[in-house]
Amino acid sequence: MKPIIFCDFDGTITNSDNIIAIMKKFAPLGWEELKDGVLQQKISISTGVGKMFSLLDSSLKDDIIQFVKDTAGIRPGFNEFVDFTKQANIPLYIVSGGMDFFIEPLLNDILPSDCVYCNRAYFNQEKILIEWPHTCDNQCNNDCGCCKPSIMREISEADEYKIVIGDSVTDFEAAKQADFVIARDILLERCRTEEIPHQGFETFYDVMHILKQQMEVKA
Ligand SMILES: [Mg+2]
Ligand SMILES: [Zn+2]
């Protein structure tokens, strides 16, 4: 078996969702309407999230980075999990609907940045501008923003055993493409109801345990 891992960031590596936390802390009124529109699928993720960040002054950049560093909280066992994948030679990619400017400072010492697929934020205008370098390929018409299934199709080989780790609805399209899913929260419920092969997790010690079991079964 040749495993390859695609791991979500917000709510999976971190304890909770950083975009929501940033908006609660920094955004003026109006962001919740956009959030609700996205959740109810009235507007696309890229439109909704792009508009949320356009409510924020670019001058807030350093304050936002510091806020995320202070509050995000990395789930227990993540560093050990990254070491484990390196030793076992398992390719590990972070695929996130979050933004480079708050993800990279948290992962800098742990993972090289070319393993991280996410959106880009620009601070050279009055308001923060988001760009979406990983839009949907011709096999996805979900308008994902950062399209996880498209990234999986681009990176993985046919003979690789694709493992998705995630927590939310934004991981569901990726989970459908996976050979096995390691899930918590909403994604765990969805995997149960849709009968996608999966196991639940809370910490990355659980994830390592599940991976070791998988590798024994498939060896
Ligand atoms: Mg998430
Ligand atoms: Zn897509």
Side-chain angles (χ1 to χ4, degrees):
M1 166 172 94
K2 280 169 63 183
I4 180 169
I5 301 173
F6 298 93
C7 182
D8 172 51
F9 184 74
D10 283 81
T12 299
I13 295 173
T14 60
N15 289 322
S16 56
D17 190 290
N18 295 298
I19 294 180
I20 299 289
I22 290 167
M23 292 302 149
K24 276 187 180 160
K25 173 81 178 171
F26 294 97
L29 289 173
W31 76 272
E32 284 190 80
E33 229 177 282
L34 292 164
K35 177 201 70 179
D36 293 341
V38 171
L39 291 179
Q40 292 158 15
Q41 294 178 307
K42 285 180 187 158
I43 44 174
S44 73
I45 294 173
S46 52
T47 303
V49 174
K51 279 188 177 168
M52 280 188 219
F53 276 92
S54 76
L55 298 170
L56 299 173
D57 288 341
S58 293
S59 60
L60 289 169
K61 180 183 180 183
D62 292 340
D63 292 341
I64 296 175
I65 293 172
Q66 195 56 49
F67 170 73
V68 173
K69 276 184 169 175
D70 290 345
T71 59
I74 302 280
R75 204 167 281 276
F78 182 69
N79 287 34
E80 291 85 345
F81 161 72
V82 173
D83 285 342
F84 166 77
T85 60
K86 282 179 189 163
Q87 276 159 23
N89 244 325
I90 303 172
L92 168 64
Y93 294 95
I94 310 306
V95 286
S96 171
M99 316 307 156
D100 56 354
F101 80 105
F102 67 78
I103 295 174
E104 281 162 13
L106 285 182
L107 296 182
N108 255 350
D109 302 332
I110 310 172
L111 272 170
S113 64
D114 60 358
C115 300
V116 180
Y117 285 70
C118 62
N119 304 308
R120 282 198 205 115
Y122 292 88
F123 300 88
N124 49 1
Q125 294 171 32
E126 195 200 335
K127 303 288 183 180
I128 299 176
L129 177 73
I130 305 297
E131 266 190 16
W132 313 88
H134 309 292
T135 48
C136 303
D137 65 15
N138 58 14
Q139 293 180 61
C140 182
N141 46 21
N142 219 31
D143 202 1
C144 300
C146 178
C147 185
K148 298 183 184 194
S150 298
I151 293 167
M152 288 171 71
R153 280 190 283 274
E154 188 188 318
I155 299 175
S156 62
E157 311 281 342
D159 63 341
E160 282 176 314
Y161 185 80
K162 295 183 280 299
I163 298 167
V164 163
I165 309 173
D167 74 305
S168 187
V169 281
T170 52
D171 300 304
F172 187 59
E173 292 302 315
K176 286 199 274 187
Q177 305 271 318
D179 294 295
F180 194 80
V181 180
I182 303 173
R184 53 176 300 277
D185 204 45
I186 297 170
L187 185 67
L188 181 58
E189 290 165 27
R190 292 289 287 269
C191 286
R192 275 186 194 133
T193 51
E194 306 276 334
E195 296 181 17
I196 293 170
H198 72 277
Q199 245 175 282
F201 82 100
E202 273 308 314
T203 71
F204 278 91
Y205 296 110
D206 304 334
V207 173
M208 275 189 280
H209 183 70
I210 295 164
L211 284 173
K212 284 174 189 166
Q213 279 180 335
Q214 284 281 309
M215 287 163 79
E216 274 167 29
V217 174
K218 305 281 170 187

